[in-house]
Amino acid sequence: MTDYRAQKDDDANTHNEQTVFPALTVADLNRLASSVDQAYRNFVVLDVNSHCVRLAVMKGESRWHRHPDSDECFLVLEGELEIDLADGQALRLKPGEACTIPKGVVHRTRSRVRAVNLCFEDRSAYTDVIFEDPGATSQTQNPPTMRDETREGDHRHLRRAIALAAAAREAGDQPYGSLLVGPDGHVLAEDRNTVVTERDITGHPELKLARWAARKLNRATALGTTLYTSCEPCAMCANAIARAGLGRVVFALAGNQLPDLKPAGAAAPDATRVDYQGPALFEEARVPFDGYYG
């Protein structure tokens, strides 16, 4: 895997969960916010018991998401922050105004101008990314087209993913390639399929990048990333992408287009029939889970 983040020492601290201001130090939030010249940055600035205080600087919009296990409180310091809710309601916060979003509520934040806000949440809060607009009417398209929210530069990154797929085939692997782009538009990491050469059935580039992101990026940064891939992710990779909290996926080929590109009788490993049996031994199996989820 090529990790471009490691090549940018000045940007290394963007993508971790370290607290900026340790206990018993003065947190100069105005200075920290004024140092940001990107469209989106998010920092853990303070820790309070099991919770943390985040400072976010943004212009634009986040992905729809929810926190299933933690409320989230926003306090605006500068600009105006809009919080869209899945039911169509929109909350607008000006400097000095705050609002709590209860756990489980689907929402997104956005700002037409530069906005600076504090966010208070559980340090271990999990983020579920909602990949589709919850208010949109679903439509079936074949072949699929790039959605209206496609951003400038998408095709350039897709062409790089396709080039990585070609490199994978040339190396003797399956023709798939992917790259992960950060909120500021820089490529963070890229990879290609290595199922054959590394004898690894999980060697899909999307899965490898999702695992990399889960280790290297904080939740807020991951939410602002885009994964570009030469083909629509399989079910295994799609689940890993969701668990890693990546905010957006842009693909070239759709999964339902692949059969037309394969010769008749070509192997389809995802179609292998497996016999699953269960559930069983409920009272014994539940013991490790009792109390784990609160």
Side-chain angles (χ1 to χ4, degrees):
M1 175 183 296
T2 303
D3 180 351
Y4 291 99
R5 195 190 62 145
Q7 302 174 14
K8 297 177 60 183
D9 294 337
D10 60 333
D11 200 36
N13 291 326
T14 304
H15 312 293
N16 57 51
E17 283 285 279
Q18 293 182 350
T19 304
V20 178
F21 301 102
L24 300 179
T25 61
V26 176
D28 191 341
L29 302 181
N30 288 331
R31 181 176 180 180
L32 180 61
S34 65
S35 70
V36 176
D37 57 4
Q38 292 131 308
Y40 180 80
R41 286 292 299 274
N42 186 294
F43 309 87
V44 175
V45 291
L46 296 166
D47 287 313
V48 184
N49 297 320
S50 62
H51 289 67
C52 69
V53 180
R54 294 181 176 274
L55 175 75
V57 180
M58 70 174 298
K59 180 180 179 182
E61 65 182 40
S62 70
R63 295 293 296 175
W64 289 97
H65 64 284
R66 63 187 168 201
H67 304 289
D69 53 2
S70 176
D71 293 347
E72 187 177 22
C73 180
F74 294 91
L75 170 62
V76 174
L77 303 180
E78 174 189 328
E80 182 175 287
L81 185 70
E82 298 183 48
I83 305 175
D84 295 324
L85 305 181
D87 63 3
Q89 182 181 2
L91 307 174
R92 290 177 174 80
L93 304 180
K94 297 179 180 179
E97 296 181 337
C99 178
T100 295
I101 304 298
K103 62 183 179 181
V105 172
V106 176
H107 65 284
R108 71 174 176 184
T109 55
R110 59 189 174 96
S111 180
R112 295 181 176 85
V113 297
R114 173 186 162 97
V116 180
N117 70 272
L118 295 178
C119 178
F120 307 85
E121 65 181 11
D122 192 301
R123 193 67 151 85
S124 60
Y126 183 77
T127 301
D128 281 334
V129 179
I130 312 299
F131 286 93
E132 298 292 338
D133 186 335
T137 301
S138 60
Q139 298 178 348
T140 301
Q141 298 176 339
N142 187 15
T145 58
M146 302 293 284
R147 296 208 298 267
D148 290 342
E149 62 189 63
T150 301
R151 304 167 188 170
E152 182 180 356
D154 280 342
H155 288 182
R156 175 169 58 88
H157 291 311
L158 280 178
R159 290 188 178 99
R160 176 57 184 165
I162 294 169
L164 289 167
R169 178 176 178 176
E170 184 176 352
D173 284 296
Q174 298 168 353
Y176 301 94
S178 308
L179 59 150
L180 188 65
V181 176
D184 58 1
H186 289 98
V187 177
L188 301 177
E190 62 179 30
D191 214 326
R192 62 173 181 80
N193 185 284
T194 54
V195 167
V196 177
T197 56
E198 295 185 2
R199 299 179 61 85
D200 179 5
I201 59 173
T202 67
H204 296 197
E206 303 95 333
L207 177 60
K208 291 191 282 186
L209 289 175
R211 294 176 64 185
W212 179 90
R215 291 192 299 265
K216 300 291 186 179
L217 307 184
N218 64 42
R219 291 183 300 277
T221 300
L223 189 62
T225 62
T226 298
L227 178 70
Y228 294 91
T229 186
S230 59
C231 185
E232 184 177 4
C234 68
M236 174 182 70
C237 294
N239 275 282
I241 290 167
R243 287 175 178 268
L246 307 186
R248 184 171 180 251
V249 176
V250 178
F251 55 88
L253 288 175
N256 60 11
Q257 292 176 303
L258 284 182
D260 294 334
L261 303 177
K262 295 180 179 180
D270 291 343
T272 302
R273 181 177 178 83
V274 179
D275 183 20
Y276 287 87
Q277 297 181 356
L281 301 176
F282 174 75
E283 292 300 331
E284 296 175 41
R286 67 175 292 175
V287 173
F289 288 89
D290 283 346
Y292 179 78
Y293 291 105

